């Protein structure tokens, strides 16, 4: 797709997106959770998993026995308190809305650079596309395999909240 074909995503066509969010991590981060690219809702709210129907924060709150965080600051604090780092596989891509299936023209984030700055023990990817992109673009450089988790997106209606919580339990061995 050339630049002439890239238009505003308000009408459902593909746009070129540069990742607008800094990674969330600190010196205590043991788990890295990676999505593909922030959705339009996440870009609008300025934080990861920002769509109101995305179940990521409900899963984290239940898994970690914490109250559901409401603000970006509360979400950041919950993640960091439990040694969880957040970022996305891609630094840049062409995408239609929030459709991972439409992703093309991928430029990966510097996952290896983050791994060098934090004591990450395990990498988890949320969904099939994040896993595919990490395996293709990042794992060859980092040498660190990822664990695929189901997507918490509202588009993944096949998984109940309870099933997502159970699937994400695998992270607990590395959380604080």
């Amino acid at each position: 797709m050339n630049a002439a074909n890239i238009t505003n995503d308000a009408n459902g066509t593909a746009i070129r997106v540069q990742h607008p969010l800094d990674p969330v991590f600190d010196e205590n981060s043991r788990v890295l959770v990676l999505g593909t690219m922030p959705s339009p809702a996440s870009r609008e709210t300025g934080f990861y998993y920002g769509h109101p129907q995305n179940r990521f924060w409900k899963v984290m709150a239940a898994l970690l026995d914490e109250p559901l965080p409401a603000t970006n600051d509360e979400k950041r604090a919950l993640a960091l308190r439990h040694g969880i780092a957040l970022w996305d596989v891609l630094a840049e891509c062409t995408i239609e809305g929030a459709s991972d299936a439409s992703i093309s023209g991928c430029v990966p984030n510097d996952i290896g650079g983050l791994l060098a700055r934090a004591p990450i023990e395990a990498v988890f990817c949320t969904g099939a596309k994040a896993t595919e992109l990490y395996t293709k673009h990042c794992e060859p450089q980092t040498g660190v395999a990822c664990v695929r988790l189901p997507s918490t997106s509202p588009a993944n209606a096949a998984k109940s909240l309870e099933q997502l919580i159970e699937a994400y339990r695998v992270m607990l061995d590395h959380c604080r």
Side-chain angles (χ1 to χ4, degrees):
M1 179 172 288
N2 65 41
N5 295 333
I6 300 173
T7 58
N8 189 311
D9 70 340
N11 60 16
T13 57
I15 62 168
R16 190 77 186 162
V17 177
Q18 291 188 342
H19 199 292
L21 307 176
D22 289 333
V24 172
F25 74 99
D26 65 15
E27 67 279 357
N28 298 309
S29 297
R30 303 288 185 269
V31 170
L32 175 58
V33 177
L34 297 168
T36 51
M37 173 64 76
S39 69
S42 293
R43 296 192 304 267
E44 187 176 309
T45 63
F47 205 68
Y48 297 90
Y49 307 99
H51 191 286
Q53 272 70 55
N54 191 299
R55 297 167 290 172
F56 182 82
W57 294 108
K58 288 180 182 179
V59 169
M60 290 295 102
L63 191 65
L64 301 168
D65 196 26
E66 292 260 5
L68 182 64
T71 67
N72 291 349
D73 287 341
E74 289 173 2
K75 292 170 183 176
R76 178 185 315 279
L78 182 142
L80 293 177
R81 190 166 47 251
H82 292 280
I84 299 170
L86 302 170
W87 208 14
D88 288 300
V89 174
L90 300 178
E92 189 176 333
C93 71
T94 299
I95 187 170
E96 293 179 26
S99 171
D100 280 0
S102 73
I103 290 175
S104 64
C106 301
V107 176
N109 269 317
D110 181 14
I111 305 298
L114 188 143
L115 295 178
R117 297 185 322 228
I120 301 294
E121 299 171 356
V123 175
F124 297 89
C125 290
T126 59
K129 191 66 168 188
T131 303
E132 172 193 322
L133 293 168
Y134 177 86
T135 302
K136 178 179 180 180
H137 296 288
C138 304
E139 188 175 338
Q141 284 74 39
T142 66
V144 177
C146 70
V147 174
R148 177 182 168 182
L149 296 172
S151 172
T152 56
S153 164
N156 183 15
K159 295 283 186 189
S160 69
L161 179 61
E162 293 75 23
Q163 289 171 316
L164 290 171
I165 293 166
E166 189 58 36
Y168 277 65
R169 282 194 194 288
V170 67
M171 290 175 41
L172 290 177
D173 288 342
H174 305 282
C175 292
R176 300 179 333 127

